[in-house]
Structure formats: structure tokens, C-alpha cells
Amino acid sequence: MTVDFKAEIDKRRNEMMEDLFNLLAINSERDDTKVDKDHPFGPGPVEALEHFLAMAERDGYQTRNIDNYAGDFEFGQGDETLGIFAHLDVVPAGTGWNTDPYQPVIKDGKLYARGSSDDKGPTLAAYYALKIIKDLGLPISKKVRFVLGTDEESGWGDMAYYFAHPDVQKPDFGFAPDAEFPIINGEKGNITEYLHFAGDNQGDVVLHHFTGGLRENMVPESATAIISGQISLEELQDKLSVFLAAHPQISGSVMTKDHRFTVQIIGKAAHGSTPEEGLNGATYLALFLNQFTLAGPAQAFVQLTADILHDDFAGHKLGVAHEDTKMGSLSVNAGVFNFEESSSDNTIALNFRYPQGTDSASIKAGLEKLSGVEKVTISEHEHTPHYVPIDDPLVATLLSVYEKQTGLKGYEQIIGGGTFGRLLERGVAFGAMFPDYENTMHQANEFVDVEELYRAAAIYAEAIYELIK
């Protein structure tokens, strides 16, 4: 049976965009301050999950809500199951937006909102792709299970709970609409390790407070420090002016209150898998503070950040660099910084995306050699390297559909980012960003090109049909 999937998407443009606007208006950031037994990651992700499942029920699916951790629904019959894994949680909006991140708006063909490209836009595109197959009654021989997560941007606690549920079995193969075309069939390992600092805080200049970063998988857009000591406001302002003149790509400010100075540096956020695309406000702030005479843990904290972490995206200065011929180089994002003078446990969270040939223990051993670090700990959430061969029927089919619909040559890709595609042994990420597309995931003014999203939906529709017909 021949189907013009682009034409079918065109028929549903208005309803698809209405559904997407409604979903994007929900602030589904994780909020640990409001976690309880009914809201495992806070109320926002639950609201988004309930909204999406209600939409699926409207369209005739029988849905399951797995205790507000995740949800799913199935379509079709067969011995094999195709899994489509999407997520409804989003990273914090942060600052620097030109529009309200939770009031979606289209400008010059681009839909601006937090989650528009990661991952609510692609999720809706894949949903409408499946809806077309269902609406048309196309003949199929396999089941499709559409899975909705609520903690992909943090610890993947949603999927751990989902697959531990007695009524859940893993699909046989599948994809996540949460990356880029033509395909992502390989993903580096992903682990966060923490540097701990302790001791008495002294010196001519005293560091009372230093914070930067919202999530370990985001480049900190900004950072703030509070200092006092043998320095005047005028001297501090002069030094900051010189520093900003030497680094015109960032901005900064100084305020004073109660004989203490608050220094802020603003850089640029980026996805933690591509730290070189951002301007780390925290490492720049440490670079500025490193000219002052600090002591104790404050000195170790600032000096290590300035001398080693700043612009060390491959871990060379950290002593953990590693490269694999297929998967490429290790990358490191200095994601979250916390220093309080009253605390005996100040930390820097380093998020590593590592290729085959190294592991979290080897990285930890390298970090433990750093001067001034009291100890190193490892997050309990780790993803080891994942790869599905290019000749696997899943990969071959998806690339074939991509080539047919775009006229472009398909090729395999391995990334530092982590997607739900790696949940399955035969799992990949597929779209929705096209080659040479501007990636605004995890950044202010996140957007998705509306026409490109419709284009992705048509690719998803044909791809799903080819996999289950």
C-alpha cells in the first residue's frame, strides 16, 4: 500500500500544533522540593504525563500510568514490539529568554518554548506519525508501544521504575525521537563524578559563597560568588572591567552589601554533551577570582576550576583524556558548583561522556590525583557505551526512509548525549533535528522550526510503518 505521509501530516497540521502548544505550556521541570509519593519528580512532570495520556485516550488508545513515573499505550498486534521512547520533562528554563519559556510563540517560522526541541516537539511528531497509521487502518504485523518518561533530564529514575514494574516487558527494538537525523546508533558512556573540598576557609580575600549551574548535563550559564576582605569596591570594579575587556564574549557585575561583594559572571548555556558550545559562567568566574589571595578549600576550589576545568573539554588537564577510533574522545562538562564557607563538604559536579576503552573507575582514579581535592565520589546513575551496528535491520530501515524522504545520504553517528534509545539492546535515537540545524537544546530561546517538525513527523510515520507492516 502506498501512502503519501507528507500529505497526511499536512491534513493534521492545525490539530498537531494545538496539541503541542498545550503541552509546551506545562512547566514540567523536575522540582525536588515538591516531591512526594504521588509526585516522584515534582508536580510538573506529573501534570505533563497526565495531559499526554488524556490526549491519547481522546484518540482511542488504552493508556497506563505507572505510578506517575512513566506512562505508555500500545497499538496493533504481533509477536514483536516496536518501542518509541519519549520524555515529557524539561531542563530548567534558566534566564536570558526573549519570550516566556512556557508561553509558546511562533516567530519567523520558529516555535519558541522550553521543550520545543527537547523533547515535546519531537514527541508530538512521533505521536502524530503513529496516529496516521492508526487512523488509516494500515495493515501491520507488530505491536507499537509508545512510552513517556518524566525524568530523562536528570537520573532516569522514571525508566528504572518503569522496567521494574511487574507488568512491563522490554520491547524488542525501538527508537527515541530525541536527537538528530539521519540516526544516532551509538552513544558514549555517561557518568557524573563529584570533587569534594573541605577545610578552613582563610586568606586576604575570603570566599563566602560560590554557586553555578542548574543541572549536571547543562553548561552553567551564570555563576555568583560572595567575597570580602582586603579589597575595595573600586578596585574590584576596575579588575572586573579589565577581565571583561579581555573576555568580551561574557558579561559580569559587582554589587556590595554589608561589606561583602557579590560578583556575577554570565556566559552561555549549552547541552552538557557539547560543553565546547557554551561559555561556562562558573569557570570564568573562578578565572576572575583566581587573581586574589585565597586560602584553604576556597583556594583549592577556585584554583582547580580556573587552572584545570576552564576550557578543558576533553579532560587533558584533568588527566582523564581518552579517545576511541569509533566513538571519538571523552568530553567533560563542569556542570554544578556549590561552595559555602560554613560547609565542610563543597562540591563540583563533573559530567563525563566517555567512549569505549575507559570507564567510571578509571576516571575516578585520575581525579583522585588532583591537588586540593579531599575525595571523589561517583553518581549511582551511569550509562555505559552503547552501539547498534549500521547493518542491523532497524538502523538500515530508518536510514532508508530518511534517504527516501530527504534525498540526502544517510550515515551512522555516535554522540556524547544520552537518549532513551540506549534502553534497548537494539535501540537508537532518530531525529528530529536535521543536519546543519541550529541546536538550542538546554539553552535560552530554545526553538523548533515548525516546517522541519512537520517534515520529521512524515519521516516518523513512514519509518514506523516500514518497521511494523
Side-chain angles (χ1 to χ4, degrees):
M1 179 179 292
T2 301
V3 180
D4 187 341
F5 289 103
K6 292 180 181 178
E8 293 298 329
I9 286 294
D10 286 342
K11 295 176 185 177
R12 296 164 174 80
R13 281 182 172 228
N14 291 339
E15 58 182 299
M16 175 177 161
M17 197 52 56
E18 181 180 358
D19 281 340
L20 180 53
F21 264 61
N22 291 334
L23 187 62
L24 290 169
I26 299 172
N27 180 341
S28 53
E29 298 175 13
R30 176 171 174 158
D31 187 348
D32 290 339
T33 67
K34 297 179 180 178
V35 166
D36 57 36
K37 64 181 182 64
D38 296 320
H39 305 90
F41 310 112
V46 174
E47 182 183 355
L49 177 62
E50 292 177 338
H51 177 90
F52 202 102
L53 293 178
M55 183 181 68
E57 290 173 0
R58 174 202 70 190
D59 294 333
Y61 296 102
Q62 183 176 347
T63 68
R64 294 191 301 180
N65 184 332
I66 309 297
D67 299 330
N68 287 336
Y69 280 80
D72 67 16
F73 53 90
E74 289 190 344
F75 169 71
Q77 297 293 328
D79 295 332
E80 289 186 278
T81 301
L82 164 68
I84 301 173
F85 288 83
H87 69 91
L88 299 174
D89 58 307
V90 296
V91 296
T95 61
W97 287 75
N98 298 326
T99 60
D100 187 321
Y102 294 108
Q103 291 185 5
V105 60
I106 296 176
K107 294 183 177 181
D108 299 323
K110 297 176 180 178
L111 172 55
Y112 291 88
R114 176 56 90 214
S116 56
S117 64
D118 184 19
D119 183 37
K120 294 177 180 177
T123 298
L124 252 295
Y127 177 81
Y128 267 81
L130 180 61
K131 188 175 185 296
I132 287 173
I133 297 170
K134 179 177 180 292
D135 289 349
L136 297 181
L138 299 180
I140 61 175
S141 63
K142 300 179 180 68
K143 288 191 294 188
V144 179
R145 189 190 311 163
F146 204 111
V147 183
L148 300 153
T150 61
D151 187 41
E152 194 270 354
E153 297 293 3
S154 297
W156 288 30
D158 52 350
M159 290 297 102
Y161 190 92
Y162 176 75
F163 284 116
H165 195 276
D167 294 332
V168 170
Q169 293 183 338
K170 280 195 173 186
D172 298 282
F173 59 101
F175 70 87
D178 188 24
E180 57 193 75
F181 292 120
I183 202 167
I184 304 296
N185 59 315
E187 298 180 9
K188 296 177 183 178
N190 187 335
I191 186 63
T192 297
E193 306 205 6
Y194 304 89
L195 309 180
H196 297 258
F197 302 81
D200 294 330
N201 181 15
Q202 301 172 353
D204 294 343
V205 172
V206 176
L207 179 65
H208 303 283
H209 168 93
F210 187 117
T211 56
L214 299 172
R215 287 284 190 275
E216 295 160 359
N217 62 348
M218 297 174 66
V219 175
E221 177 190 48
S222 63
T224 301
I226 299 176
I227 61 174
S228 66
Q230 299 177 21
I231 188 171
S232 66
L233 175 62
E234 292 75 19
E235 182 183 0
L236 190 59
Q237 289 175 328
D238 288 344
K239 288 183 178 296
L240 182 59
S241 295
V242 171
F243 182 78
L244 294 177
H247 305 280
Q249 67 274 35
I250 62 172
S251 60
S253 63
V254 177
M255 295 186 296
T256 182
K257 182 180 180 181
D258 299 330
H259 307 292
R260 292 186 175 187
F261 306 108
T262 298
V263 185
Q264 183 181 49
I265 294 293
I266 300 176
K268 177 187 175 184
H271 197 291
S273 66
T274 53
E276 69 280 358
E277 295 181 3
L279 297 169
N280 193 315
T283 66
Y284 274 102
L285 177 57
L287 195 64
F288 171 69
L289 295 177
N290 201 34
Q291 64 186 297
F292 302 107
T293 304
L294 302 167
Q299 181 187 33
F301 186 95
V302 168
Q303 192 172 68
L304 187 147
T305 302
D307 292 345
I308 295 179
L309 296 181
H310 183 67
D311 284 351
D312 184 33
F313 305 124
H316 290 292
K317 289 185 287 185
L318 279 172
V320 297
H322 182 81
E323 186 170 357
D324 174 73
T325 54
K326 179 174 283 292
M327 286 195 159
S329 301
L330 172 149
S331 69
V332 55
N333 176 55
V336 180
F337 295 74
N338 285 299
F339 184 98
E340 297 290 343
E341 64 174 330
S342 59
S343 175
S344 60
D345 188 23
N346 300 296
T347 59
I348 300 174
L350 304 179
N351 182 236
F352 294 92
R353 312 299 172 106
Y354 63 90
Q356 297 167 329
T358 188
D359 54 35
S360 58
S362 299
I363 295 170
K364 180 175 183 288
L367 298 180
E368 288 174 336
K369 298 176 183 178
L370 295 171
S371 176
V373 175
E374 181 196 24
K375 64 179 180 179
V376 179
T377 58
I378 303 178
S379 168
E380 61 183 24
H381 306 293
E382 180 176 10
H383 302 295
T384 56
H386 173 76
Y387 179 72
V388 182
I390 193 170
D391 58 357
D392 184 284
L394 169 67
V395 178
T397 298
L398 295 178
L399 287 178
S400 175
V401 171
Y402 170 81
E403 291 179 345
K404 175 185 174 183
Q405 288 230 16
T406 65
L408 302 173
K409 177 64 177 175
Y411 49 88
E412 70 173 353
Q413 293 186 99
I414 298 170
I415 62 169
T419 76
F420 279 166
R422 72 194 307 153
L423 289 167
L424 305 178
E425 183 177 348
R426 294 182 61 221
V428 300
F430 187 55
M433 289 193 303
F434 289 89
D436 301 323
Y437 185 69
E438 182 180 356
N439 183 356
T440 56
M441 292 182 179
H442 295 201
Q443 300 180 38
N445 301 311
E446 177 185 349
F447 71 84
V448 64
D449 185 288
V450 174
E451 291 299 322
E452 296 287 75
L453 191 63
Y454 292 138
R455 185 185 183 197
I459 292 175
Y460 286 143
E462 183 165 358
I464 294 170
Y465 183 54
E466 288 296 318
L467 289 170
I468 66 172
K469 69 180 183 179

